[in-house]
Structure formats: structure tokens, C-alpha cells
Amino acid sequence: MRHKKLIIGTGICLLGIALSAAWFIPCKLEATYAGKTPYQYDAVSAKSFHANTVSLLGRKNPVTDISISPKKLSKSIQRITVTYGDMSVSVPVKAIKADHIAWSYADGPIYEGDSFHSEDISAKLIYADNTQKELAVSDFELTKTPEILTADDHTVTAKTILGEEQYEIPLNTISKLSMESKELLYEGDYPKSDFSYEVTYSGNEKKELSVDDVEISDTISLAAGNNDISVTYLGKEYTSTITAKQKTAAVVAAETYKAELDNSVSNVTTDSIFVSVQQKYTESGEYFLTHIIVNDPSNQVKGGLSNDSWGSYREYPTTYAGRTGAAVTTNGSYFSYDSGNLYALDVLLKMEKF
């Protein structure tokens, strides 16, 4: 009987120990996310989780010395592993989903022909609730970029947290390339540097180009009339029309007698008249030789007398030229503008008598 009491007592004691252990010793871990609703790709802190150890009999003991993994939410519903000691539990954390990426490049208008600069590109992550967050440079990698922005190549390819993205940079494209000359052109050959080059963009803005910016023949041959000239810029060919006039006799003379013009004491060159005045020297004195070439002698050369009757109005050659439209006028009278007298060689006429 005594032995039975001892066994029962021991059994009760062991049962008490077991119950005590089942109450105090934790057997599993429970955790919940208690922070604010995060955004996808945000990092969360272990402090945002409430964790308890749970004994076999359901006793809960709060714990704070926990760790979590992963810390960054790569999914809109991310399972986070909470660990305490040798116990862990998986906790689902719902995040506000990232919807798309909004790209931007540089400030102000961008024109075809501009160089691409990777440092000028930026991106924002747009969430389902329209919240925007600036992406760091480390959040995306540019895998394909153009060197020069053109109408055919102005797209950037990037590897991002949302996968591969393509961004088409808004561009003011070239609508026209103009080639012009500041001077009147005649048929003939001209160096390409004699012309100016200008592009017009889709927004009607204009930009002057240097001769080194374009690809064109070193010598431009122009025929009389309209000439279509091909100019290549940024690998694209454009056609510009240059109008050249037919060379007149006066223009040909200016080219033929260029050395004479350079050494003249006075000259006039237009498309209708060529005049070169040379100063000549002889032993007995000096004189001036005038070389004149006109396009139409029948209309441009005039001769006449300046009202020979004594005492009547006398017209100057310049007035006569203006009245008749003559380029060259020859004074055919014997009227001396210096003395006011009529003369023929050394014979003077006065009162209609020699």
C-alpha cells in the first residue's frame, strides 16, 4: 500500500512538471504585420511586426528580438519570414502595387540631331493609388541608347524592377532642310561654303547648320534656272532648290576682266553693265581709258546733241541718261560745262557768230 501511494505521488509530481513545461516552454511562433500599408519595392522593418511565442497549452509571450527576411517587398503580396531563435513563421504582407514607370528626358525641347546624355534621363514609379516615387539610378540599367537622337532612332531600352522597358524620347523632328545663298547666283560652279544651311523642325523652330554638319559635294554646279541639290544630314537626304540666272554679257565681262577691275581707279559692275576706268600714263601726259560692256547696245547706249541753239536750255548727260534709260550716254554737243560757252575745238561762237 505504501508503495502504491509513492507511485501515485510521483506520477502527480511528474504530471505537474509536464503541465508546467507545457505552459511555459514555447513550441511555436506567431507573428502579424502591424505597420502602415507599404508600397511594392519598399523595405519593411522588423519593428513593424508583432510576434509571440506560444506554448503547448496556449500561453503567449511577446518577443521583440526578431529578424525578418526578405526586407524588401518585390511583390504586391510578399511573404515575410519572421524568425525568433530556432522558430520561424511566414507572414503575408500586402503592398500597394507598382503600376508603371513614367520616364522623362532633359528639360525643355529636344531636337533631332541632339546628342543623347544618359545623365539626363530619369524615372518615376507610379503606384495603383497614383503615388509617385523617384527611382534611383541603381533601380534601372540602360541597355540600349542612341548616340544621336534622330527620327529613326530616339528610343531608350532599360532593364528595370518591372522588367524591360522602352522609352521613346519626345523629339522635334526635322521637316525641311534649306540651302540658300545670300548673293544673286548665276550659272556656274560654286564652293559649298558659299551657301548657308538651315533646318526647320516640326514645331517650326529653325536652326542654322555649319557646312561641316552636312554632306554635300565640294563644288556645286548650277545651270540657268532651278537646280535641285541633294544635301545629307544625320544620314537622311534632303532636296533643296537653288535658282540661278543666266550670265549676261556684263556678268561674263566682270569674270573675264577681273584683274582689270582690281587695278582700276573706278568701276561699276552689275548684271547689265560693266565699267572699268584705267589711268594711263604717257611721256606727254596722262589720260583715262574707260572700258564699257553692256548687254544691249541698242537700248543702253545713247547719243545726242544738247540743244545747240545759243541761249536755250542745255541738258546734262546724266539727266539725259536718266530720261532715256541709257546706261552709256555720249555728249555730242560743243557746249563746255566748265566755261558755259559753246565751242568747237578753239573756235568760240557768240551771238550766233564765230
Side-chain angles (χ1 to χ4, degrees), residues 29 63 65-69 80-89:
L29 182 68
V63 292
D65 188 16
I66 59 174
S67 61
I68 61 172
S69 178
I80 304 294
T81 300
V82 180
T83 302
Y84 176 74
D86 58 355
M87 292 179 289
S88 62
V89 64

Side-chain angles (χ1 to χ4, degrees), residues 115-188:
S115 298
F116 174 79
H117 300 285
S118 58
E119 64 271 17
D120 288 338
I121 197 165
S122 59
K124 289 182 180 179
L125 195 57
I126 311 299
Y127 288 91
D129 64 350
N130 290 324
T131 297
Q132 301 182 11
K133 292 191 177 182
E134 195 82 27
L135 287 179
V137 177
S138 58
D139 291 330
F140 60 89
E141 177 188 356
L142 301 179
T143 56
K144 185 179 179 182
T145 59
E147 290 185 12
I148 302 295
L149 299 172
T150 66
D152 298 326
D153 189 9
H154 57 111
T155 300
V156 175
T157 303
K159 183 179 179 182
T160 75
I161 53 180
L162 294 184
E164 185 175 89
E165 293 259 331
Q166 285 192 329
Y167 169 54
E168 194 173 273
I169 296 174
L171 199 63
N172 287 293
T173 55
I174 295 172
S175 58
K176 183 177 69 172
L177 188 149
S178 302
M179 173 183 173
E180 296 179 351
S181 173
K182 295 180 180 179
E183 299 180 356
L184 182 65
L185 296 176
Y186 293 93
E187 55 185 325

